[in-house]
Amino acid sequence: MEKDKIDDLEMMDLPVEEESDLGFTEWRKDEKTLLNLGLPEEERDWFCDARPQVHKKSPKIIEDFLNWARAESLWILAFGTGCGAIELRPLLTARYDISRLGMAPRPTPRQANLFMIGGYVSIKTLKRIVRSYEQMQGPKFVVAVCSCAINGGMYWDSYNTVKRIDEFIPVDVYITGCMPRPEAVLAGFDRLKQLIRAGKAEGQNLYAQNFDYYKANQKRIIKDWNMPDYNW
Amino acid sequence: MKQLYEMLRTQYQVYDFEQRHDRLAFVSIPPEQMVGLLTCLRDIYGFSHLALMTCVDWLEESHFQLTYILRNHDGHRELVIKTFIDREHPVVDSIHHLWQHARVYQREHYEMFGVSFPGSPGMTEPMILEGWQGPPPMRRDFDTLRYCEDNYSNRDRTHSEPEAHMKATLYPED
């Protein structure tokens, strides 16, 4: 009897195996799939190949509530790209005490939703900025501090400093100054809160909508693109 | 320091002795003898600390000047050794075997000036300029402004002088 059973099993058609000739990775790809061409060939399937999605809005009353909640708990990705990061320290101490506004610095992109770019952005840093920004959980907001982040500032003719960040990632609020005082940074955060409450801080959706534009700009500047197309 | 220079001159073709003050002096040497001189200074004369190694681009004279600042911590003296190399063929002997940290300086000079130090570990790895495709940027014939205009886009804005702007805003009738 047992031998018959084994024979039955061997006779059975296993359609999964037949279809596997297609290759597991091929069938789910379409023209929207990211190719991750910067990676070595054997590593391409290890990483995410889906694009960022536009966040669907809830009904207005729920969205207003969510926006209120988002505005009151901004966690900062402490990414000190330049001297503007120094201005974050006084904000944390007793005099300005940013935690009473529901803001706190976080050590990793995964825990933060406010990306504070504090100063000049060199090419090497831009690569890390793109990675960190894409790894942040949505909804996410970007504040660019200092004149260097706005138009290059004193690095206007530097060979290694990009002059506009909003070509590479969407920026919600700029804070001018070289460097801005902590009061100015606070005012900038306040402005960001107003934007979030009004539902106008849509950087994440902008990034998802214009993904090709941003990605083309990033790849134009970062010559050795050796990371996934979307570092989800 | 003059005494030291006289002693060195018996062995090496050092020239251009210049005493800045009691404990600081400059000498120059041909690049072929540079490693020998540095070894001698480190092992015999007690200049055990490579404080700085830097490069200067003399475009008009068509050579690079490599500068090594050595410090003798026992005698509190500093000796600056200058050597001039051809700008068209910038290859110098590496000194990473004398001081470990020299490899960082040499890596930086390779990246920024294109000066090559054969045998220096990790010299060709990018330090700051990842994926750089242009010429070495610290050379003086590298036009940073043109490179910047070619690669990075400007933000078109009108500029206003803060003083004039605030005066016009606060006291328009003046």
Side-chain angles (χ1 to χ4, degrees):
Chain A
M1 280 294 284
E2 284 183 2
K3 193 165 183 299
D4 290 345
K5 269 186 185 173
I6 292 170
D7 286 343
D8 284 348
L9 272 177
E10 280 173 358
M11 291 289 284
M12 271 171 65
D13 275 346
L14 294 176
V16 181
E17 281 186 8
E18 281 178 9
E19 281 189 2
S20 69
D21 291 346
L22 263 173
F24 177 66
T25 52
E26 293 302 318
W27 60 269
R28 63 195 172 101
K29 289 199 169 164
D30 55 18
E31 69 276 4
K32 287 260 178 186
T33 310
L34 300 175
L35 295 175
N36 291 338
L37 289 178
L39 294 168
E41 200 168 348
E42 67 272 16
E43 292 182 13
R44 280 177 201 164
D45 285 339
W46 300 357
F47 293 94
C48 175
D49 55 4
R51 285 158 185 267
Q53 302 293 320
V54 177
H55 174 68
K56 287 199 183 70
K57 292 215 170 186
S58 312
K60 185 173 183 301
I61 188 162
I62 300 174
E63 192 68 24
D64 283 351
F65 171 73
L66 289 176
N67 281 334
W68 169 80
R70 284 163 190 156
E72 295 306 318
S73 85
L74 291 170
W75 286 10
I76 304 169
L77 173 56
F79 190 96
T81 56
C83 35
I86 301 296
E87 296 300 318
L88 199 56
R89 275 72 182 160
L91 290 177
L92 303 177
T93 51
R95 182 168 178 191
Y96 296 103
D97 193 16
I98 206 169
S99 56
R100 71 202 152 90
L101 306 175
M103 305 175 81
R106 301 306 301 171
T108 87
R110 302 280 188 205
Q111 298 174 352
N113 65 350
L114 171 58
F115 198 173
M116 182 176 155
I117 296 173
Y120 56 86
V121 178
S122 67
I123 309 302
K124 193 173 176 177
T125 318
L126 179 67
K127 204 169 165 182
R128 277 76 182 170
I129 283 178
V130 169
R131 273 198 103 125
S132 308
Y133 178 73
E134 291 180 348
Q135 284 180 5
M136 282 163 66
Q137 310 278 346
K140 48 196 174 185
F141 315 102
V142 180
V143 172
V145 184
C146 288
S147 56
C148 296
I150 296 169
N151 58 4
M154 61 191 283
Y155 300 101
W156 60 280
D157 64 343
S158 168
Y159 54 88
N160 205 25
T161 309
V162 298
K163 290 191 272 190
R164 300 187 57 169
I165 301 181
D166 52 358
E167 281 188 334
F168 308 103
I169 56 173
V171 178
D172 293 307
V173 172
Y174 286 109
I175 302 171
T176 58
C178 182
M179 305 179 298
R181 292 271 310 158
E183 295 92 339
V185 180
L186 267 184
F189 288 153
D190 202 43
R191 175 80 186 133
L192 177 68
K193 286 190 170 195
Q194 290 172 14
L195 287 177
I196 296 171
R197 278 197 209 102
K200 288 178 187 166
E202 289 288 314
Q204 184 199 3
N205 289 345
L206 207 65
Y207 192 72
Q209 277 167 10
N210 306 325
F211 187 69
D212 288 329
Y213 164 78
Y214 287 117
K215 205 44 81 174
N217 281 336
Q218 289 163 11
K219 288 189 175 176
R220 180 170 56 83
I221 294 295
I222 302 171
K223 303 273 173 44
D224 61 334
W225 185 274
N226 54 1
M227 53 187 188
D229 285 341
Y230 183 58
N231 303 287
W232 181 71
Chain B
M1 296 298 267
K2 187 75 179 170
Q3 200 180 355
L4 175 69
Y5 173 67
E6 294 300 335
M7 284 163 75
L8 288 176
R9 210 163 63 158
T10 58
Q11 296 178 53
Y12 301 100
Q13 297 170 6
V14 287
Y15 58 98
D16 274 357
F17 177 76
E18 185 190 350
Q19 179 116 22
R20 291 288 172 90
H21 54 77
D22 289 351
R23 289 173 176 171
L24 177 69
F26 283 59
V27 291
S28 302
I29 187 160
E32 306 84 46
Q33 296 190 349
M34 192 262 306
V35 174
L37 175 69
L38 292 182
T39 313
C40 172
L41 283 170
R42 186 188 74 150
D43 294 343
I44 296 169
Y45 295 102
F47 286 87
S48 56
H49 180 197
L50 174 68
L52 182 72
M53 170 184 170
T54 186
C55 183
V56 184
D57 184 4
W58 295 101
L59 182 64
E60 291 78 12
E61 288 86 355
S62 183
H63 55 226
F64 287 122
Q65 171 194 333
L66 282 169
T67 310
Y68 301 80
I69 301 179
L70 303 187
R71 182 166 169 84
N72 185 338
H73 285 292
D74 297 329
H76 299 292
R77 290 180 300 174
E78 276 175 340
L79 187 62
V80 182
I81 293 118
K82 295 188 287 187
T83 182
F84 297 93
I85 56 172
D86 186 14
R87 205 168 174 283
E88 306 302 318
H89 183 63
V91 180
V92 202
D93 293 331
S94 170
I95 57 161
H96 68 275
H97 58 289
L98 299 178
W99 289 279
Q100 284 283 317
H101 61 279
R103 68 177 68 184
V104 181
Y105 289 125
Q106 291 174 359
R107 196 172 151 195
E108 196 173 14
H109 293 333
Y110 181 78
E111 187 173 81
M112 290 296 180
F113 290 94
V115 181
S116 180
F117 300 86
S120 183
M123 183 186 66
T124 52
E125 292 169 19
M127 192 172 188
I128 300 161
L129 310 171
E130 286 182 351
W132 182 259
Q133 289 172 353
M138 293 293 269
R139 290 194 180 197
R140 276 176 59 209
D141 51 1
F142 175 78
D143 192 345
T144 52
L145 185 57
R146 177 183 285 181
Y147 184 87
C148 188
E149 281 166 355
D150 290 347
N151 285 277
Y152 313 126
S153 49
N154 273 310
R155 184 190 300 276
D156 294 325
R157 285 275 174 89
T158 53
H159 301 274
S160 57
E161 203 58 34
E163 191 184 349
H165 174 76
M166 290 312 290
K167 198 175 175 187
T169 312
L170 296 175
Y171 310 106
E173 66 273 7
D174 283 354

